[in-house]
Amino acid sequence: MKYVITGATGHLGRQITRQLAQRVAPEEMTLGVHTPSKATEFVQQGMTVLPLDYQDVTSLVASLRQADVAIYVPSKSHDSFSRVSEFENVVTAAEQAQVKHLLVMGFIADQVNNPFDLSAFYGYVPRRLAASTLDYTVVRNALYADPLVPYLPELIARGNVIYPMGDASLSFISLAESAAAFAQLAVTPKLWRQPIYTLTQERSYTMPTLAEVLSAASEAKIGYAPITLPQFAALYNEGNEGHMLASMYAGGAQGLLATVSTDFRQIMGRPAQSLPDFLSATLAK
Amino acid sequence: MKYVITGATGHLGRQITRQLAQRVAPEEMTLGVHTPSKATEFVQQGMTVLPLDYQDVTSLVASLRQADVAIYVPSKSHDSFSRVSEFENVVTAAEQAQVKHLLVMGFIADQVNNPFDLSAFYGYVPRRLAASTLDYTVVRNALYADPLVPYLPELIARGNVIYPMGDASLSFISLAESAAAFAQLAVTPKLWRQPIYTLTQERSYTMPTLAEVLSAASEAKIGYAPITLPQFAALYNEGNEGHMLASMYAGGAQGLLATVSTDFRQIMGRPAQSLPDFLSATLAK
C-alpha cells in the first residue's frame, strides 16, 4: 500500500505521520510538505519526502500520484474562501493522481447556522467530495484539548476560564487521539464505508465544569468569568486570528461546539481518553 | 424603502422583479444587470437600471449601495467553485454597501451527502452568511416545474418520463410562485427572523405518479422508463450542462430532491399551486 500525507510537518500532520509509522513500513509512506527541511525526522526513518505547494496542482499531483490512501490536512488560513480555493486544488489533483481513498480533516463547527469564520469551508468539503469521483472519508474533529495545557498558567493567573460561552458546553479531542484515529482509518478499508466520522471524547464540558477539571489538574482555584466576544477577539489576536477564534466561540455559545459522538470508539475499539486523563498525563510529562 | 435585485433579467430575476413591482413603487427599485439593454421593460416602468458584473466588486457595491433589501440570484455557472467565487464578491460588496437585508436564492439539493455538482455551493452559502455581518434570508427552491411544459412534446414522443430516479420522488415549485415568495419576503421584515425558507409545493411526486400527472395534463399516455445516469448526461448535454443535470438526478435517486415544506404557506398565507394546477393553467395559455 502507498500512503501519502500532506501537511505532514504541521501540528496534526506530524502526529498522524508518527501514528501511521506505527502501523505501516516507512517505505510505504510519502509526505508532501511545504518545507522539506522540517521533515528530517521522517527522511531518517526511510519515508519519501516531496515538496508540495497547495497552490500548485502539479506539485500536488506529483505527491498524490497513485496513492492508495491520501490524508489531507488543510493549511492554516483563517477564512473559508482561501481554504476552499486550496481544497479545489486538492480535489483536482487527487482525481488526476487517481488517489484510491482520500481522508480529509473536518471540524464539528460546520452547521448551517454556525457563525464560525471557517464553517462555510467545512460545509463545502463533504459536499464537494460527494460531487467528485473520489472515494473519501471526512474526519470531523472536536476542539483540540492540547492548547489548554500551555494556556493553564494564564488561567491560573486570571483565576478564571474566560471563554465567552454562556451556559453552552465544549467538546474536545486531543491531537494524539485524533491522529491515532486518522492512522487507524487509513489502514482499515472496511471503515471507509462510512463517509463522515466525528472524533470527540465521550462527554462535553460546560465552562464551570471545565473550570473544575482545570482546577483539579493544576491544583489551583480556577472559576468561570466570561468576557465578551469583542474583548476575546482583541485579547487573542496573535497572528491576526482573534476574529476567527471569537467567531468560533460565538458558535460555541449557541451550543454548536457541544457535539459528542462514539465514532472514536467505533474506529479504535476503545473510548477516547477523557479530558482529566489527558490533562494529568500531559502535565506529568 | 430601497430594493435592489441582481440578475434581474434572468429567468427567476425577471419574475421576481415583476412580482416586486406589484408591491412597491418602481422608484424604489434598482436593478443590477449584466446587459442593461435587456432591461428596457423595467426602465420604461421607472426603475433604475445599473450595469453589474459579478466579477467586479466595485460595480456590485455601486448597485447594492445602501439597499434596504437586496435580492441576489446567482449566475448560471455549472460548478460550485465558480459560484462560490462570485458569491464571495457579493458578500464583500453587500457588507461594503451596508445592505440592511440580503435575500439569497438557495436550492434543496444542499445536503451533506448530495452528489449534485452545485451542492457544495449551496452548502457554502448559508454558512458564509452566518459568518458575515449581514442580516440575511436564504430561500431554498425545489426543482422548477416550468421546464416540464416545453419538455412535454418530447415526453409524449418518448411515451415515457425517463429521469434516472428509481423509486424516489421529486419536489417542485414554479418560477412564478418562487418569485412571489421572494417579493413577499422582501416587503415583510417580520418574516426575516427565520434565516432559511424552503419553497415547495405541498407534496412530491414519484416518477410513476409524475407520469400520471403529465398524462392527464397532456391527454397522452406517458409512462416511466428510466434511462441510466450516463445516458441522461449524454442526452441533455446542451450548453455542457449534462454532467450537472445527471448529478442532480443522482442525488434525486437518493431521495435528496424530495423535500416538502409548508414555508410557502407561511410566507404567502396560502399553499403553493399544485403541479396539476400549474400544468393545466400554463398549458391553457
Side-chain angles (χ1 to χ4, degrees):
Chain A
M1 295 274 277
K2 179 178 175 185
Y3 298 89
V4 177
I5 302 171
T6 70
T9 56
H11 286 292
L12 179 61
R14 192 175 287 274
Q15 298 218 29
I16 293 173
T17 304
R18 289 174 186 159
Q19 285 284 343
L20 190 60
Q22 294 176 21
R23 290 166 173 83
V24 306
E27 293 73 25
E28 296 179 81
M29 295 175 62
T30 298
L31 312 182
V33 302
H34 186 266
T35 313
S37 63
K38 289 187 185 167
T40 316
E41 162 195 355
F42 301 128
V43 174
Q44 286 168 349
Q45 293 172 40
M47 299 173 200
T48 302
V49 172
L50 296 175
L52 182 148
D53 177 352
Y54 281 133
Q55 300 313 315
D56 173 14
V57 172
T58 307
S59 80
L60 275 163
V61 173
S63 290
L64 295 174
R65 197 176 300 281
Q66 290 158 347
D68 294 293
V69 182
I71 300 174
Y72 164 60
V73 180
S75 61
K76 288 195 79 178
S77 57
H78 298 157
D79 71 284
S80 281
F81 186 64
S82 301
R83 290 214 183 177
V84 163
S85 304
E86 170 183 303
F87 184 63
E88 279 293 321
N89 290 341
V90 172
V91 170
T92 301
E95 289 183 332
Q96 279 182 32
Q98 299 183 290
V99 167
K100 290 194 188 60
H101 193 80
L102 182 67
L103 282 178
V104 177
M105 195 201 81
F107 187 51
I108 56 170
D110 61 6
Q111 301 92 342
V112 70
N113 59 334
N114 200 311
F116 177 43
D117 283 351
L118 294 170
S119 66
F121 166 71
Y122 287 114
Y124 188 92
V125 163
R127 292 165 176 80
R128 182 65 182 84
L129 289 168
S132 76
T133 61
L134 296 165
D135 193 54
Y136 66 91
T137 305
V138 176
V139 184
R140 297 167 75 231
N141 285 316
L143 215 64
Y144 293 134
D146 305 63
L148 289 171
V149 175
Y151 193 29
L152 262 183
E154 179 177 336
L155 292 175
I156 294 167
R158 291 185 180 279
N160 282 303
V161 170
I162 60 171
Y163 295 129
M165 283 282 294
D167 299 330
S169 66
L170 283 180
S171 182
F172 294 97
I173 189 79
S174 72
L175 277 166
E177 296 277 71
S178 172
F182 265 96
Q184 194 63 30
L185 279 165
V187 301
T188 317
K190 73 175 180 192
L191 289 170
W192 301 348
R193 287 192 289 262
Q194 179 173 322
I196 302 178
Y197 289 90
T198 302
L199 303 182
T200 73
Q201 296 169 356
E202 299 216 341
R203 62 159 295 183
S204 62
Y205 293 86
T206 62
M207 295 306 94
T209 312
L210 179 64
E212 284 171 25
V213 168
L214 294 170
S215 295
S218 64
E219 295 175 0
K221 176 134 187 56
I222 300 174
Y224 174 42
I227 62 175
T228 67
L229 282 167
Q231 286 169 340
F232 193 87
L235 193 57
Y236 297 108
N237 198 32
E238 199 181 333
N240 205 30
E241 64 182 28
H243 187 278
M244 181 195 60
L245 289 173
S247 72
M248 187 173 77
Y249 288 103
Q254 295 175 37
L256 300 174
L257 291 173
T259 305
V260 168
S261 144
T262 56
D263 286 352
F264 184 95
R265 186 194 289 257
Q266 184 188 337
I267 297 164
M268 301 297 290
R270 62 168 178 86
Q273 189 180 37
S274 73
L275 187 61
D277 287 352
F278 166 77
L279 290 171
S280 54
T282 308
L283 289 167
K285 279 176 190 168
Chain B
M1 294 271 277
K2 180 179 175 186
Y3 299 89
V4 178
I5 302 172
T6 70
T9 57
H11 286 292
L12 180 62
R14 193 175 286 275
Q15 297 217 29
I16 293 172
T17 304
R18 289 175 186 158
Q19 285 285 342
L20 191 60
Q22 294 175 23
R23 291 166 172 83
V24 306
E27 294 73 26
E28 295 179 86
M29 294 174 63
T30 297
L31 313 183
V33 302
H34 185 266
T35 312
S37 63
K38 291 188 185 168
T40 316
E41 162 195 356
F42 301 129
V43 173
Q44 286 168 351
Q45 293 172 40
M47 300 173 199
T48 303
V49 172
L50 297 175
L52 182 148
D53 177 353
Y54 281 134
Q55 300 314 315
D56 172 16
V57 172
T58 306
S59 81
L60 275 163
V61 173
S63 289
L64 296 175
R65 197 177 300 283
Q66 288 159 348
D68 295 293
V69 182
I71 300 174
Y72 163 61
V73 180
S75 61
K76 286 194 79 177
S77 57
H78 299 157
D79 71 284
S80 281
F81 185 64
S82 300
R83 290 214 184 177
V84 163
S85 304
E86 169 182 304
F87 184 63
E88 279 293 321
N89 290 341
V90 172
V91 170
T92 301
E95 288 182 334
Q96 279 183 32
Q98 299 182 290
V99 167
K100 291 196 186 58
H101 192 79
L102 182 66
L103 282 180
V104 177
M105 196 202 81
F107 187 49
I108 56 170
D110 61 5
Q111 300 93 343
V112 70
N113 59 335
N114 199 311
F116 178 43
D117 283 352
L118 294 171
S119 65
F121 166 70
Y122 287 114
Y124 188 92
V125 162
R127 292 165 176 81
R128 182 65 182 83
L129 289 167
S132 76
T133 60
L134 296 164
D135 193 53
Y136 66 92
T137 305
V138 176
V139 184
R140 297 166 76 232
N141 285 316
L143 215 62
Y144 293 133
D146 305 66
L148 288 172
V149 176
Y151 193 29
L152 260 185
E154 180 177 334
L155 293 175
I156 293 167
R158 291 185 180 279
N160 282 302
V161 171
I162 62 171
Y163 295 130
M165 282 281 295
D167 300 329
S169 66
L170 283 180
S171 182
F172 293 97
I173 190 79
S174 72
L175 276 166
E177 296 277 71
S178 171
F182 266 95
Q184 194 62 29
L185 279 166
V187 301
T188 317
K190 74 175 179 193
L191 290 170
W192 301 347
R193 287 194 289 262
Q194 179 173 321
I196 302 180
Y197 289 91
T198 302
L199 303 182
T200 73
Q201 296 169 356
E202 299 217 339
R203 62 160 294 185
S204 62
Y205 292 87
T206 62
M207 294 307 94
T209 312
L210 178 64
E212 284 171 27
V213 169
L214 294 170
S215 296
S218 64
E219 296 176 358
K221 175 131 188 58
I222 300 174
Y224 175 42
I227 62 175
T228 67
L229 283 167
Q231 286 169 340
F232 192 86
L235 192 58
Y236 297 108
N237 198 32
E238 199 180 332
N240 205 31
E241 64 182 27
H243 187 278
M244 181 195 59
L245 289 173
S247 73
M248 188 174 77
Y249 289 103
Q254 295 175 37
L256 300 174
L257 291 173
T259 306
V260 169
S261 142
T262 56
D263 287 353
F264 184 94
R265 187 195 288 256
Q266 185 188 337
I267 297 165
M268 300 297 291
R270 62 167 177 86
Q273 190 180 36
S274 72
L275 186 60
D277 287 352
F278 166 76
L279 291 172
S280 54
T282 308
L283 289 168
K285 278 178 191 167

